[in-house]
Amino acid sequence: MIIRQMALGPIQANCFILGCEETRQAVVIDPGDDIDRILTTLAGDRLTVVHIINTHGHFDHVGANKRLKEVTGADILIHSDDAPMLSKLSAAAAAWGMSAENSPAADRLLENGDTITFGTHTLTVLHTPGHSPGGICLYTEYQEGGETRKAVFVGDTLFAGSIGRTDFPGGSFDVLINSIRTRLFSLDDDVKVYPGHMGSTTIGHEKRSNPFCGIG
């Protein structure tokens, strides 16, 4: 699997491009800004976007939805509980002194346990509310060098040594901790975690050492 990570926009939210090496189909997770950089990366890998996936509806993660859909025609996917945010991005960004275009409505509403396919790869949706009501994580397994790799793309649910903020509308510390412990910490320790900000970690490391939700 091709995995490209880039920190975009003034808040430096991570956008991920996942591509199938066989079919060249791809998904873009959280296109928050800098559409030209996203398109350049796609072109460099000769990838065709089939899905735009939003881990949640905050403007720094979905601000480029509109332009990316216009260029690629890809479907927009988001959890049903965060879908209403897509039409309010401009106002949300303005409240922070920034700008963002409102997104088109979702083409597909996601729920826990849904699967998303591109090429030969599959992502499984894990509903992890707490940072936002419709926050999701995306789990996948793929082959690399004859070995099975495991990865989860967690948006702003979990960070290396930290967790997502819970003081935004619809956020809840207790709900977020429960999401992490029941949905993410049930994954294997060797699962690589790709957060929505900053660098990667593993499930095992966060279980042992995360000061907010580690379980020793």
Side-chain angles (χ1 to χ4, degrees):
M1 182 190 292
I2 298 167
I3 301 177
R4 303 285 183 247
Q5 176 179 336
M6 58 196 80
L8 305 178
I11 304 181
Q12 292 288 280
N14 287 333
C15 170
F16 297 94
I17 295 173
L18 311 183
C20 174
E21 294 178 306
E22 294 181 31
T23 66
R24 313 315 290 187
Q25 288 189 347
V27 298
V28 177
I29 301 172
D30 289 352
D33 205 336
D34 296 344
I35 182 67
D36 291 338
R37 188 173 169 195
I38 296 172
L39 295 174
T40 297
T41 302
L42 289 165
D45 286 321
R46 297 180 291 110
L47 296 173
T48 299
V49 183
V50 292
H51 301 301
I52 300 164
I53 310 173
N54 301 148
T55 62
H56 60 293
H58 292 158
F59 74 90
D60 58 321
H61 289 260
V62 302
N65 271 12
K66 181 176 185 290
R67 290 191 61 199
L68 187 58
K69 182 176 179 63
E70 287 173 348
V71 174
T72 66
D75 290 341
I76 294 174
L77 285 60
I78 192 171
H79 191 275
S80 57
D81 289 342
D82 272 17
M85 296 185 192
L86 295 180
S87 63
K88 304 172 185 176
L89 302 182
S90 179
W96 290 80
M98 302 179 198
S99 62
E101 291 186 286
N102 288 336
S103 170
D107 298 288
R108 176 182 171 190
L109 298 178
L110 299 171
E111 302 295 341
N112 186 63
D114 285 353
T115 57
I116 303 163
T117 59
F118 61 103
T120 62
H121 299 293
T122 300
L123 300 169
T124 299
V125 175
L126 307 176
H127 182 209
T128 53
H131 177 66
S132 69
I136 62 168
C137 300
L138 301 160
Y139 176 77
T140 189
E141 298 181 5
Y142 60 98
Q143 296 296 311
E144 182 177 87
E147 297 183 4
T148 299
R149 307 289 186 187
K150 306 169 190 175
V152 63
F153 299 84
V154 299
D156 286 359
T157 296
L158 179 68
F159 300 125
S162 189
I163 59 173
R165 291 178 60 165
T166 58
D167 57 338
F168 296 132
S172 166
F173 178 84
D174 290 341
V175 170
L176 183 62
I177 295 303
N178 182 66
S179 292
I180 293 169
R181 288 180 171 172
T182 60
R183 292 269 159 83
L184 293 182
F185 285 0
S186 65
L187 301 175
D188 293 337
D189 283 1
D190 62 345
V191 174
K192 189 168 184 178
V193 176
Y194 291 95
H197 297 272
M198 302 177 290
S200 61
T201 182
T202 66
I203 290 294
H205 182 77
E206 297 311 310
K207 281 183 185 177
R208 293 187 297 271
S209 63
N210 191 295
F212 295 94
C213 53
I215 57 177

